[in-house]
Amino acid sequence: PEAAPPEGAAGTAEVHGASAEFEVWVGDGRNLVLDDKNLAAGVLLDVPCTATGTGRRRPDVLRKAIPPAAPTHDAGEAGDGGRGRRGRVGRVNPLQESAANDAAEFAELLKVQFELAEHAARNLLRPPDAALRKRGGVLVYSTCSLLEAESEDQARRLLELHASDPAGAGRPLLAANPIAAREVPKGFEGALTPEGWLRVVPGSLEPPLDNVDGFFVARFTRAA
């Protein structure tokens, strides 16, 4: 694979046939600062996670990454032909060694995920501008995890954020921006949830997509 550009590198890239400027910044995303004129119209936040959605080809992640009895989406059961039941909640019970340490590490991971998302929502997305008829910036939150704690639960928490500035006090900072069936690649329509999130469970899609890793995507728009 190609090496990542060094920090501070800048240039132009072709995006959907148009030229776009870019600058590489390397570091903790919770510390990224943008000035007001450069606030983003969109942020794709692929947070660090347990990667349990890759468990069929990387079973080691199921042994070392999931705390005891963590809620997850079941990838299938005997008698269903290997096909998972989308949205069904099951439980994974990996090895119990160092359970306390695993639980602490998992709690820290959840904390980092939410802090990254909250920082992006508050400090990186542009707010709506009624005078210019501009919508607020769009945040896409994604994981390759089957665990609800890292995915659906975090999405619900984000919708509970409120604007911190006096003018927006009491108003939600983010609004749901449901993903429509026409926006997803063919074959993924059945993975859309009632909330408009994309929840893919390994084995739940029709061939040839039945070997796709599990993942979760939710979309929001800055509302205040």
Side-chain angles (χ1 to χ4, degrees):
E2 297 182 8
E7 181 174 5
T12 59
E14 197 78 7
V15 180
H16 295 297
S19 181
E21 295 183 356
F22 72 89
E23 180 178 349
V24 176
W25 182 86
V26 179
D28 188 329
R30 294 170 293 182
N31 299 326
L32 177 61
V33 177
L34 301 177
D35 55 50
D36 289 347
K37 68 178 181 179
N38 288 320
L39 290 176
V43 172
L44 170 59
L45 186 61
D46 186 16
V47 297
C49 69
T50 57
T52 48
T54 68
R56 293 207 304 181
R57 56 186 177 84
R58 296 178 54 204
D60 56 303
V61 302
L62 301 178
R63 293 196 299 270
K64 68 183 181 181
I66 309 176
T72 183
H73 288 271
D74 199 344
E77 60 183 27
D80 70 358
R83 299 286 307 282
R85 297 180 181 177
R86 183 170 61 84
R88 181 177 183 273
V89 175
R91 297 208 175 258
V92 174
N93 291 300
L95 298 177
Q96 303 295 306
E97 298 156 348
S98 304
N101 289 337
D102 290 345
E105 290 178 6
F106 185 65
E108 178 62 22
L109 181 59
L110 295 179
K111 178 174 178 286
V112 170
Q113 291 169 353
F114 191 73
E115 287 177 349
L116 283 167
E118 182 175 19
H119 179 74
R122 293 193 185 281
N123 303 307
L124 303 183
L125 288 180
R126 74 183 185 200
D129 190 325
L132 296 178
R133 296 184 177 180
K134 281 188 177 181
R135 296 180 62 188
V138 173
L139 172 66
V140 175
Y141 177 91
S142 68
T143 73
C144 56
S145 172
L146 298 180
L147 299 179
E148 290 187 14
E150 299 184 275
S151 309
E152 288 89 346
D153 289 352
Q154 298 284 45
R156 294 185 186 100
R157 289 183 67 194
L158 287 171
L159 289 173
E160 295 173 357
L161 286 175
H162 285 81
S164 55
D165 59 286
R171 289 193 295 160
L173 181 68
L174 294 174
N177 188 344
I179 301 168
R182 57 181 169 77
E183 297 180 281
V184 301
K186 185 177 180 181
F188 284 88
E189 298 89 347
L192 287 169
T193 72
E195 297 88 351
W197 302 333
L198 191 62
R199 160 54 78 191
V200 173
V201 178
S204 66
L205 301 177
E206 296 291 338
L209 300 174
D210 51 332
N211 288 323
V212 170
D213 286 343
F215 63 88
F216 173 82
V217 181
R219 185 172 63 186
F220 311 88
T221 298
R222 180 160 173 177

